[in-house]
Amino acid sequence: MAAGCLLRSGVPFLPGQLEMMPPYGFQMAGTILVGIAQPFFQCSPPLLSATWFGSSERALATATAINFNQVGIATAFIVGGVMANTPAGMHSYFDVLSCFSVAVAFATVFFFKDKPTTPPSASAMAALAEEEERERERASRGKLQLEYPSKAIDLLRRPGFPIATATFVASIACTNVVSAFIAPALARAGLVEGMQIDLAGAGFQMAIVLGGIALGRLVDETKEFKKVILSCLVATAFLLMGLGISEGNNLTFPPLTVLSILLALGAAAGPVQPIAAELAVEAVSYTHLRAHETDSY
């Protein structure tokens, strides 16, 4: 991510503004690198949750980590809306992103830890022992063996995993598409272009975060993965219908109604991502445990 941001901005805050912008090819390459980095931020939280937290805390930890990605998007709505209104402002915006990305990269190098000193639960301890055993097997073979895509195919054959994956994809597709079309939807409803729409976009992202934290905690306490996910999906479907009606040519809802639908949609659709991700992990862990018990017998 840091490398991609630097490709887009060049050396941050050099004088000259627009004439110092890197060529278009660098802009494209930087954007691709930033995109490649994104899945690591989305995929690592379930593994970190299983490593650092007990089973009664994992859904909340996963929801907090995955959905805090939306805080960055909310910040981009506000900061980008203020800065990126001119070519020079866009350049300065890219410079700010580069500085933050490099700072986070250095902080990760020096402060990030893969696992706690003591495993937080018996399941985490068992997973750690299993991982250490795999490391020893790989070391004994003495060569690198690629496990993808065979491992991905194996995961898709596990009961429950494909449904959880499809649910995750549906949720993130919904929130990303709605994020992309927030401005025209709110402009049609009568909100003024500029800071009002930027704040509404940021509010949508924060609703995703807060909804994920609240429902993640509920799932930790009840383990009702299916009931919570189904409730969120049904609410999302109805809210999307309402948002679609508000976009119709013959019917326009007032701004407050559209904004309320938008915030409720974020709170309903957003939590599906971390809960589905945690459910996928639980499904794989369960089938692996059953297989291990069968082998023991």
Side-chain angles (χ1 to χ4, degrees):
M1 183 177 67
C5 288
L6 286 171
L7 279 175
R8 294 194 302 181
S9 69
V11 180
F13 297 113
L14 279 181
Q17 296 298 327
L18 185 59
E19 61 266 29
M20 299 301 297
M21 287 284 284
Y24 181 71
F26 281 65
Q27 300 283 330
M28 289 296 295
T31 301
I32 291 171
L33 279 178
V34 172
I36 289 173
Q38 177 67 22
F40 291 92
F41 303 126
Q42 292 285 148
C43 298
S44 57
L47 178 59
L48 290 173
S49 296
T51 304
W52 283 84
F53 297 95
S55 59
S56 63
E57 304 167 318
R58 288 176 190 163
L60 175 59
T62 302
T64 303
I66 287 183
N67 280 348
F68 252 78
N69 179 64
Q70 310 305 128
V71 174
I73 300 175
T75 305
F77 266 103
I78 298 174
V79 177
V82 172
M83 296 182 65
N85 295 315
T86 63
M90 178 65 76
H91 189 194
S92 297
Y93 178 58
F94 282 168
D95 287 345
V96 170
L97 290 180
S98 294
C99 290
F100 272 102
S101 298
V102 170
V104 170
F106 273 103
T108 302
V109 169
F110 291 106
F111 299 110
F112 189 90
K113 296 180 180 179
D114 286 324
K115 52 185 178 291
T117 305
T118 304
S121 64
S123 60
M125 186 177 296
L128 178 61
E130 185 178 339
E131 179 62 27
E132 290 175 347
E133 179 63 27
R134 284 200 297 265
E135 289 288 341
R136 285 193 291 268
E137 289 179 2
R138 283 194 288 264
S140 65
R141 288 195 295 263
K143 60 180 181 179
L144 177 65
Q145 290 187 337
L146 296 179
E147 297 181 344
Y148 186 87
S150 60
K151 179 174 283 189
I153 295 172
D154 177 61
L155 288 173
L156 290 172
R157 290 172 176 166
R158 305 286 183 98
F161 186 85
I163 297 297
T165 303
T167 305
F168 179 95
V169 172
S171 172
I172 200 168
C174 172
T175 55
N176 284 353
V177 170
V178 171
S179 296
F181 291 98
I182 280 177
L186 295 178
R188 180 184 290 275
L191 264 72
V192 179
E193 288 277 359
M195 184 52 67
Q196 286 187 353
I197 290 181
D198 294 337
L199 289 173
F204 175 69
Q205 305 302 327
M206 293 307 299
I208 294 174
V209 175
L210 297 176
I213 291 174
L215 293 180
R217 185 59 185 164
L218 177 63
V219 169
D220 276 334
E221 293 177 351
T222 64
K223 298 301 180 184
E224 294 284 356
F225 287 94
K226 181 177 179 179
K227 184 179 294 185
V228 172
I229 288 176
L230 278 176
S231 299
C232 288
L233 290 176
V234 170
T236 297
F238 278 101
L239 290 165
L240 279 174
M241 289 172 58
L243 200 61
I245 292 172
S246 74
E247 280 287 283
N249 294 323
N250 299 322
L251 178 62
T252 300
F253 290 167
L256 184 59
T257 301
V258 175
L259 184 59
S260 299
I261 293 175
L262 193 65
L263 295 177
L265 179 60
V272 175
Q273 298 172 34
I275 294 173
E278 187 62 29
L279 177 59
V281 173
E282 291 282 346
V284 172
S285 299
Y286 176 75
T287 55
H288 182 78
L289 179 62
R290 290 294 299 274
H292 181 72
E293 290 176 348
T294 302
D295 291 342
S296 299
Y297 288 132

